[in-house]
Structure formats: structure tokens, C-alpha cells
Amino acid sequence: MANSKVCVLGAGSTKYGKLNESIIEIALNAAKDAIESAGITPKDIQAGYISNVFGVADKQVHMAPVIMSNLGISHVPGLTIESACGSGSVMFREAYANVAAGFYDCVLALGVEKVTHTGTVHSTTLFSYCSDFFYEGGNGASFPGLFASMARAYMNTHKATEEDLAHVAVKNHENGLLNPKAHVRKKITVDDVLKSPVVASPLKLLDCCPFSDGASATILCSEEFAKKSGRPYVEIIGSGRGASPAAVQGREDITTIPSTVAAARQAYKMAGVTPKDINFAEVHDCFTIAEVIDIEDLGFFPKGKAAHAVRDGATRLNGEIPINPSGGLKSKGHPIGATGVGQVVEVFEQFTGMAGERTVPNAEIALTHNFGATGASAAVHIFKKVDRK
């Protein structure tokens, strides 16, 4: 049935960090966890959607058929999707749309990346290919440099400080300590952030997320399939996608990301909710300034107020609007193709009683936000906890 409700029935994830297994082995580990979580078998899966960016670094492209074959379902069609750092959420939307349209009742949506083995210089070079390379990466404008420009513009416009940004990192590391699968489980202080080496002023090393390996997977299905399963599930109630000029230089205001604003507007409208209805959110915090800009663009705080709100504790687990209870990219890690899917895994765990000490109390509605590069592409999804009593 077209436009039917779509649910997340299962979710699984590897640890994020430096992993020794091959990219396919990493993907299969997450897939098996998600399949077991959903209480299904691979034979129940009717299509596979895989997000990946740098499979070539582990000598594997055309990845979806390889994963389907290794799951024992080589006859099941698979599709590999790339949208830079936003690949996971863009892929998740495609999987969602195909189930909503009635093409499939049950699909695998999986993101995976393995890049740490290439070394910092090579992996940084690979990441630069996600920019508008002719204008940016190819001329030395790295992602730290581009986000540093955004940070400087924001600080000058809104009288924010480097210390305000440091509070984002401190909060996300606090959350990451509660996540056994996080890449960087280390408590830090504002002073630690401010004294860490400068990467691109005003951003320091501890303002930046790590490169990570890892995979996250979800099982999406129709509401009818979910109800028949007898298992816990989460409903997807809103989905949106947006776009921005690929190069930062093409934007009128670099303290906002137009793709986020557009995607959020669509998702809120579809879900019939407002930012005030969101109980927690997983957002794209590749750098501390990104989280500050995100939570304004998503409507949680007025323009220019988010940095001060973070400093005042509004985004902590016990705050007004908890942001990145998983630890975010900053602490949980950033396996680029898996990041957006990992955000959904966090929502599933929060809503099905598996988040442990990082559980957001009484949460009913959550949002995930993931963008590519400096925000050239973005997707936002909104989820509702299902009361099965």
C-alpha cells in the first residue's frame, strides 16, 4: 500500500574505532546484529540499501551485491549510495521511501566504512574529495579550514567564544563515556580542549571528530510486518532532504546550512510536529561549530543563541533538549558511510530500553540529522516511540 507507515524493527552496530576486519566483515557483523534484533532471518529481507564512500580504500566497491551474497541472499537486489558524510541518512531515506511506496515490506539499511588503515595523510586526502574539489580541496581548503571559517564568522557575528565551542566537545565526551561502542571514551575538560593543538584556528584538535571504522545497520519494514513480528519497533514519522551550494564560497551566510533548514522543514511538516516536540536529537557534529549551527538550523534555539545554550547545559542529557546522547561524531566516532545509520541505531536503542545510563527519560519523539561535506546535502528524520502495551 502506497504511503504506508514505515518502522524500524531492528538495529545493530559494531564498535566504532580502528578495526582490523575487512570492510565486508565489519558490514556483516552489524547486519547480523540488526537481523537478530528484528527477530527475522536474511530470507525475510527483500532489498538491501548500503551507504559507503571509500570502499576503494579497502579494495571493495559495488558493495551491496557483495553484502547480500555474504548474507546468503544473492538474489536480493542491493544498492550502494554515496553522499559524502551524509551517506547514511540519504541512504536511509531511500530505504524508507521504497517501503513507504509499497515496493518492499522488509529491507536492510546498512552503512559501513573502513579508512583508518590508510593513515592520516591518505584518509585526509580521501575526505577532501567530498568537497567541491576544484574550488576547495584541490586548493588546500581542508574541512577543518572550511569549518574554521564558519566558526570565525559565527563567533564574530554572535559574540561567541572558543570556550563556548569547547563545551560542545566536553558534553559529547560525557555522553560517549556511557556508550560502550564509542570510539573515544575519554573525559575531557574545557581547559583540555582549549589547550589541545590548533588544527585550523579557532578549532583545536579536541574540537574535531576522529576518523573511524565501523558499521551500523537497521531493518526497515511496513507497519503490518512490524506488528506481526511481535517485537519492539519504532515508527518513522517524518523525513526530509535538502541541498546547499557545494562550495562554502557560494553561500550568502556561512553561519547557517541551508540544506539542514530545508530538510528539517520537510520532516517537521510530514511528522506534524515542531522543534519543541522533539525530546532529543542526534546531529552532525563533525566539528564543535557544526553542532552549534545545526541546533539553530533545526529550530531548537534562535539564531546566535545556541553556543550560549550549550555552555549553560541546555543540551546535556538532563537538559532542555539533549543533543547527541550517543556521544555524537565527536566521541562516538565518524565512520563516514555509517554515521547517519548509527544515529538511527541510537534512537532505536533509546526507544526500546537498550541505551543504559545514557537513556533520555520519558522520550517519545526524536530527530536525526546528518549532512555531507560542509552541508551540501542533508537529511533529517523524525521518529516516534511506539507504545505496545
Side-chain angles (χ1 to χ4, degrees), residues 19-27 52-63 66 112-118 122 126 213-214:
L19 305 181
N20 294 323
E21 299 94 337
S22 73
I23 196 167
I24 297 302
E25 290 172 322
I26 293 169
N52 174 260
V53 183
F54 299 124
V56 67
D58 208 41
K59 301 181 178 66
Q60 183 62 67
V61 295
H62 199 206
M63 195 170 296
V66 178
V112 63
E113 208 70 62
K114 185 177 181 185
V115 73
T116 64
H117 62 295
T118 65
H122 190 196
L126 290 174
D213 303 329

mmCIF file of all heavy atoms in Angstrom, residues 19-27 52-63 66 112-118 122 126 213-214:
data_model
loop_
_atom_site.group_PDB
_atom_site.id
_atom_site.type_symbol
_atom_site.label_atom_id
_atom_site.label_comp_id
_atom_site.label_asym_id
_atom_site.label_seq_id
_atom_site.Cartn_x
_atom_site.Cartn_y
_atom_site.Cartn_z
ATOM 1 N N LEU A 19 39.396 -0.745 13.394
ATOM 2 C CA LEU A 19 39.010 -2.150 13.343
ATOM 3 C C LEU A 19 39.902 -2.918 12.392
ATOM 4 O O LEU A 19 40.326 -2.398 11.354
ATOM 5 C CB LEU A 19 37.545 -2.269 12.912
ATOM 6 C CG LEU A 19 36.527 -1.479 13.750
ATOM 7 C CD1 LEU A 19 35.114 -1.719 13.228
ATOM 8 C CD2 LEU A 19 36.617 -1.838 15.228
ATOM 9 N N ASN A 20 40.173 -4.176 12.734
ATOM 10 C CA ASN A 20 41.089 -4.987 11.943
ATOM 11 C C ASN A 20 40.403 -5.783 10.834
ATOM 12 O O ASN A 20 41.044 -6.185 9.866
ATOM 13 C CB ASN A 20 41.845 -5.957 12.859
ATOM 14 C CG ASN A 20 42.773 -5.238 13.820
ATOM 15 O OD1 ASN A 20 43.391 -4.234 13.456
ATOM 16 N ND2 ASN A 20 42.870 -5.730 15.050
ATOM 17 N N GLU A 21 39.102 -6.051 10.978
ATOM 18 C CA GLU A 21 38.391 -6.853 9.987
ATOM 19 C C GLU A 21 38.286 -6.116 8.652
ATOM 20 O O GLU A 21 38.425 -4.895 8.584
ATOM 21 C CB GLU A 21 36.986 -7.196 10.485
ATOM 22 C CG GLU A 21 36.956 -8.011 11.769
ATOM 23 C CD GLU A 21 36.835 -7.135 13.005
ATOM 24 O OE1 GLU A 21 37.196 -5.938 12.941
ATOM 25 O OE2 GLU A 21 36.390 -7.663 14.040
ATOM 26 N N SER A 22 37.974 -6.856 7.599
ATOM 27 C CA SER A 22 37.750 -6.243 6.289
ATOM 28 C C SER A 22 36.439 -5.460 6.317
ATOM 29 O O SER A 22 35.601 -5.645 7.205
ATOM 30 C CB SER A 22 37.667 -7.314 5.200
ATOM 31 O OG SER A 22 36.431 -8.023 5.290
ATOM 32 N N ILE A 23 36.250 -4.620 5.328
ATOM 33 C CA ILE A 23 35.043 -3.797 5.285
ATOM 34 C C ILE A 23 33.788 -4.659 5.172
ATOM 35 O O ILE A 23 32.750 -4.338 5.764
ATOM 36 C CB ILE A 23 35.128 -2.762 4.138
ATOM 37 C CG1 ILE A 23 34.076 -1.663 4.328
ATOM 38 C CG2 ILE A 23 35.012 -3.425 2.766
ATOM 39 C CD1 ILE A 23 34.284 -0.460 3.430
ATOM 40 N N ILE A 24 33.864 -5.774 4.461
ATOM 41 C CA ILE A 24 32.705 -6.663 4.336
ATOM 42 C C ILE A 24 32.430 -7.378 5.654
ATOM 43 O O ILE A 24 31.275 -7.527 6.064
ATOM 44 C CB ILE A 24 32.915 -7.676 3.189
ATOM 45 C CG1 ILE A 24 33.038 -6.933 1.846
ATOM 46 C CG2 ILE A 24 31.758 -8.668 3.137
ATOM 47 C CD1 ILE A 24 31.827 -6.068 1.493
ATOM 48 N N GLU A 25 33.482 -7.808 6.331
ATOM 49 C CA GLU A 25 33.293 -8.444 7.637
ATOM 50 C C GLU A 25 32.655 -7.479 8.628
ATOM 51 O O GLU A 25 31.762 -7.855 9.409
ATOM 52 C CB GLU A 25 34.630 -8.946 8.171
ATOM 53 C CG GLU A 25 35.189 -10.135 7.422
ATOM 54 C CD GLU A 25 36.593 -10.492 7.846
ATOM 55 O OE1 GLU A 25 37.403 -9.566 8.111
ATOM 56 O OE2 GLU A 25 36.894 -11.696 7.917
ATOM 57 N N ILE A 26 33.097 -6.234 8.618
ATOM 58 C CA ILE A 26 32.520 -5.217 9.503
ATOM 59 C C ILE A 26 31.037 -5.039 9.202
ATOM 60 O O ILE A 26 30.194 -5.007 10.103
ATOM 61 C CB ILE A 26 33.273 -3.877 9.340
ATOM 62 C CG1 ILE A 26 34.718 -4.001 9.846
ATOM 63 C CG2 ILE A 26 32.552 -2.755 10.099
ATOM 64 C CD1 ILE A 26 35.590 -2.822 9.469
ATOM 65 N N ALA A 27 30.714 -4.935 7.914
ATOM 66 C CA ALA A 27 29.318 -4.765 7.499
ATOM 67 C C ALA A 27 28.467 -5.946 7.936
ATOM 68 O O ALA A 27 27.344 -5.777 8.452
ATOM 69 C CB ALA A 27 29.238 -4.582 5.989
ATOM 70 N N ASN A 52 28.150 3.874 1.650
ATOM 71 C CA ASN A 52 29.601 3.777 1.770
ATOM 72 C C ASN A 52 30.221 4.827 0.861
ATOM 73 O O ASN A 52 29.663 5.169 -0.179
ATOM 74 C CB ASN A 52 30.092 2.377 1.381
ATOM 75 C CG ASN A 52 31.598 2.286 1.345
ATOM 76 O OD1 ASN A 52 32.217 2.343 0.278
ATOM 77 N ND2 ASN A 52 32.211 2.168 2.512
ATOM 78 N N VAL A 53 31.374 5.337 1.269
ATOM 79 C CA VAL A 53 32.037 6.368 0.478
ATOM 80 C C VAL A 53 33.386 5.900 -0.055
ATOM 81 O O VAL A 53 33.688 6.061 -1.227
ATOM 82 C CB VAL A 53 32.218 7.663 1.311
ATOM 83 C CG1 VAL A 53 32.846 8.774 0.465
ATOM 84 C CG2 VAL A 53 30.883 8.123 1.876
ATOM 85 N N PHE A 54 34.206 5.288 0.806
ATOM 86 C CA PHE A 54 35.577 4.983 0.424
ATOM 87 C C PHE A 54 35.868 3.489 0.423
ATOM 88 O O PHE A 54 36.923 3.049 0.885
ATOM 89 C CB PHE A 54 36.550 5.706 1.361
ATOM 90 C CG PHE A 54 36.409 7.203 1.318
ATOM 91 C CD1 PHE A 54 36.160 7.923 2.482
ATOM 92 C CD2 PHE A 54 36.492 7.892 0.120
ATOM 93 C CE1 PHE A 54 36.023 9.296 2.447
ATOM 94 C CE2 PHE A 54 36.344 9.276 0.075
ATOM 95 C CZ PHE A 54 36.113 9.984 1.245
ATOM 96 N N GLY A 55 34.954 2.702 -0.132
ATOM 97 C CA GLY A 55 35.191 1.279 -0.250
ATOM 98 C C GLY A 55 36.469 0.973 -1.015
ATOM 99 O O GLY A 55 37.135 -0.036 -0.743
ATOM 100 N N VAL A 56 36.831 1.848 -1.939
ATOM 101 C CA VAL A 56 38.044 1.636 -2.728
ATOM 102 C C VAL A 56 39.269 1.570 -1.829
ATOM 103 O O VAL A 56 40.265 0.908 -2.158
ATOM 104 C CB VAL A 56 38.195 2.744 -3.792
ATOM 105 C CG1 VAL A 56 38.454 4.102 -3.147
ATOM 106 C CG2 VAL A 56 39.276 2.391 -4.799
ATOM 107 N N ALA A 57 39.210 2.208 -0.649
ATOM 108 C CA ALA A 57 40.348 2.175 0.280
ATOM 109 C C ALA A 57 40.568 0.776 0.838
ATOM 110 O O ALA A 57 41.666 0.450 1.292
ATOM 111 C CB ALA A 57 40.119 3.165 1.427
ATOM 112 N N ASP A 58 39.531 -0.055 0.819
ATOM 113 C CA ASP A 58 39.657 -1.444 1.254
ATOM 114 C C ASP A 58 39.422 -2.393 0.079
ATOM 115 O O ASP A 58 39.039 -3.540 0.262
ATOM 116 C CB ASP A 58 38.672 -1.745 2.393
ATOM 117 C CG ASP A 58 39.175 -2.852 3.321
ATOM 118 O OD1 ASP A 58 40.379 -2.854 3.623
ATOM 119 O OD2 ASP A 58 38.378 -3.708 3.728
ATOM 120 N N LYS A 59 39.639 -1.840 -1.128
ATOM 121 C CA LYS A 59 39.567 -2.624 -2.375
ATOM 122 C C LYS A 59 38.200 -3.267 -2.586
ATOM 123 O O LYS A 59 38.099 -4.407 -3.069
ATOM 124 C CB LYS A 59 40.665 -3.703 -2.398
ATOM 125 C CG LYS A 59 42.083 -3.152 -2.292
ATOM 126 C CD LYS A 59 43.111 -4.265 -2.344
ATOM 127 C CE LYS A 59 44.529 -3.717 -2.297
ATOM 128 N NZ LYS A 59 44.833 -3.073 -1.008
ATOM 129 N N GLN A 60 37.128 -2.522 -2.251
ATOM 130 C CA GLN A 60 35.792 -3.064 -2.494
ATOM 131 C C GLN A 60 34.813 -1.949 -2.820
ATOM 132 O O GLN A 60 34.446 -1.155 -1.970
ATOM 133 C CB GLN A 60 35.277 -3.836 -1.277
ATOM 134 C CG GLN A 60 33.920 -4.489 -1.500
ATOM 135 C CD GLN A 60 33.961 -5.517 -2.615
ATOM 136 O OE1 GLN A 60 34.593 -6.548 -2.494
ATOM 137 N NE2 GLN A 60 33.284 -5.234 -3.720
ATOM 138 N N VAL A 61 34.401 -1.884 -4.084
ATOM 139 C CA VAL A 61 33.279 -1.041 -4.486
ATOM 140 C C VAL A 61 32.168 -1.984 -4.943
ATOM 141 O O VAL A 61 32.281 -3.193 -4.785
ATOM 142 C CB VAL A 61 33.686 -0.027 -5.583
ATOM 143 C CG1 VAL A 61 34.696 0.954 -5.033
ATOM 144 C CG2 VAL A 61 34.265 -0.749 -6.799
ATOM 145 N N HIS A 62 31.056 -1.436 -5.480
ATOM 146 C CA HIS A 62 29.906 -2.277 -5.834
ATOM 147 C C HIS A 62 29.580 -3.185 -4.644
ATOM 148 O O HIS A 62 29.458 -4.408 -4.758
ATOM 149 C CB HIS A 62 30.209 -3.108 -7.085
ATOM 150 C CG HIS A 62 28.974 -3.621 -7.764
ATOM 151 N ND1 HIS A 62 28.970 -4.760 -8.547
ATOM 152 C CD2 HIS A 62 27.701 -3.164 -7.772
ATOM 153 C CE1 HIS A 62 27.753 -4.979 -9.017
ATOM 154 N NE2 HIS A 62 26.959 -4.017 -8.562
ATOM 155 N N MET A 63 29.440 -2.560 -3.500
ATOM 156 C CA MET A 63 29.430 -3.276 -2.240
ATOM 157 C C MET A 63 28.128 -4.004 -1.930
ATOM 158 O O MET A 63 28.122 -5.073 -1.318
ATOM 159 C CB MET A 63 29.746 -2.290 -1.111
ATOM 160 C CG MET A 63 30.128 -2.941 0.193
ATOM 161 S SD MET A 63 30.736 -1.709 1.336
ATOM 162 C CE MET A 63 32.201 -1.150 0.464
ATOM 163 N N VAL A 66 27.789 -7.651 -2.860
ATOM 164 C CA VAL A 66 28.727 -8.473 -2.100
ATOM 165 C C VAL A 66 28.162 -8.772 -0.715
ATOM 166 O O VAL A 66 28.234 -9.910 -0.223
ATOM 167 C CB VAL A 66 30.101 -7.777 -1.995
ATOM 168 C CG1 VAL A 66 31.069 -8.615 -1.152
ATOM 169 C CG2 VAL A 66 30.684 -7.527 -3.382
ATOM 170 N N VAL A 112 28.571 1.503 6.180
ATOM 171 C CA VAL A 112 29.856 0.943 6.599
ATOM 172 C C VAL A 112 31.008 1.769 6.039
ATOM 173 O O VAL A 112 30.902 2.352 4.959
ATOM 174 C CB VAL A 112 29.986 -0.535 6.142
ATOM 175 C CG1 VAL A 112 29.961 -0.651 4.617
ATOM 176 C CG2 VAL A 112 31.239 -1.189 6.724
ATOM 177 N N GLU A 113 32.095 1.815 6.789
ATOM 178 C CA GLU A 113 33.301 2.486 6.318
ATOM 179 C C GLU A 113 34.523 1.850 6.977
ATOM 180 O O GLU A 113 34.467 1.414 8.135
ATOM 181 C CB GLU A 113 33.267 3.976 6.671
ATOM 182 C CG GLU A 113 34.057 4.845 5.727
ATOM 183 C CD GLU A 113 33.402 4.937 4.347
ATOM 184 O OE1 GLU A 113 32.271 5.432 4.235
ATOM 185 O OE2 GLU A 113 34.055 4.485 3.370
ATOM 186 N N LYS A 114 35.615 1.776 6.230
ATOM 187 C CA LYS A 114 36.902 1.414 6.789
ATOM 188 C C LYS A 114 37.962 2.271 6.119
ATOM 189 O O LYS A 114 38.178 2.165 4.911
ATOM 190 C CB LYS A 114 37.225 -0.070 6.599
ATOM 191 C CG LYS A 114 38.531 -0.436 7.294
ATOM 192 C CD LYS A 114 38.881 -1.897 7.208
ATOM 193 C CE LYS A 114 40.199 -2.132 7.962
ATOM 194 N NZ LYS A 114 40.664 -3.524 7.824
ATOM 195 N N VAL A 115 38.602 3.129 6.917
ATOM 196 C CA VAL A 115 39.537 4.080 6.331
ATOM 197 C C VAL A 115 40.776 4.310 7.196
ATOM 198 O O VAL A 115 41.787 4.813 6.717
ATOM 199 C CB VAL A 115 38.819 5.423 6.054
ATOM 200 C CG1 VAL A 115 38.540 6.175 7.341
ATOM 201 C CG2 VAL A 115 39.593 6.288 5.073
ATOM 202 N N THR A 116 40.754 3.903 8.472
ATOM 203 C CA THR A 116 41.867 4.248 9.370
ATOM 204 C C THR A 116 43.181 3.593 8.948
ATOM 205 O O THR A 116 44.259 4.121 9.230
ATOM 206 C CB THR A 116 41.560 3.854 10.822
ATOM 207 O OG1 THR A 116 41.437 2.432 10.928
ATOM 208 C CG2 THR A 116 40.278 4.518 11.322
ATOM 209 N N HIS A 117 43.100 2.449 8.266
ATOM 210 C CA HIS A 117 44.312 1.733 7.883
ATOM 211 C C HIS A 117 45.106 2.467 6.810
ATOM 212 O O HIS A 117 46.274 2.136 6.553
ATOM 213 C CB HIS A 117 43.963 0.327 7.379
ATOM 214 C CG HIS A 117 43.097 0.324 6.161
ATOM 215 N ND1 HIS A 117 41.799 0.801 6.166
ATOM 216 C CD2 HIS A 117 43.340 -0.090 4.883
ATOM 217 C CE1 HIS A 117 41.279 0.674 4.957
ATOM 218 N NE2 HIS A 117 42.187 0.148 4.162
ATOM 219 N N THR A 118 44.515 3.475 6.183
ATOM 220 C CA THR A 118 45.217 4.202 5.120
ATOM 221 C C THR A 118 46.182 5.247 5.674
ATOM 222 O O THR A 118 47.012 5.765 4.929
ATOM 223 C CB THR A 118 44.224 4.901 4.169
ATOM 224 O OG1 THR A 118 43.520 5.922 4.891
ATOM 225 C CG2 THR A 118 43.216 3.905 3.599
ATOM 226 N N HIS A 122 46.607 9.986 3.916
ATOM 227 C CA HIS A 122 45.779 9.454 2.833
ATOM 228 C C HIS A 122 44.302 9.620 3.147
ATOM 229 O O HIS A 122 43.509 10.004 2.274
ATOM 230 C CB HIS A 122 46.115 7.975 2.604
ATOM 231 C CG HIS A 122 45.497 7.415 1.370
ATOM 232 N ND1 HIS A 122 45.386 6.061 1.123
ATOM 233 C CD2 HIS A 122 44.923 8.025 0.285
ATOM 234 C CE1 HIS A 122 44.792 5.864 -0.038
ATOM 235 N NE2 HIS A 122 44.495 7.041 -0.564
ATOM 236 N N LEU A 126 41.458 11.570 1.036
ATOM 237 C CA LEU A 126 40.199 10.990 0.591
ATOM 238 C C LEU A 126 39.016 11.863 1.008
ATOM 239 O O LEU A 126 38.106 12.125 0.218
ATOM 240 C CB LEU A 126 40.036 9.583 1.160
ATOM 241 C CG LEU A 126 40.959 8.498 0.600
ATOM 242 C CD1 LEU A 126 40.784 7.198 1.373
ATOM 243 C CD2 LEU A 126 40.677 8.258 -0.874
ATOM 244 N N ASP A 213 36.515 3.586 11.760
ATOM 245 C CA ASP A 213 35.953 2.456 11.029
ATOM 246 C C ASP A 213 34.683 2.041 11.760
ATOM 247 O O ASP A 213 34.550 2.281 12.960
ATOM 248 C CB ASP A 213 36.909 1.262 11.039
ATOM 249 C CG ASP A 213 38.289 1.575 10.478
ATOM 250 O OD1 ASP A 213 38.379 2.436 9.582
ATOM 251 O OD2 ASP A 213 39.265 0.952 10.947
ATOM 252 N N GLY A 214 33.774 1.374 11.060
ATOM 253 C CA GLY A 214 32.594 0.853 11.739
ATOM 254 C C GLY A 214 31.428 0.658 10.794
ATOM 255 O O GLY A 214 31.457 1.087 9.630
#
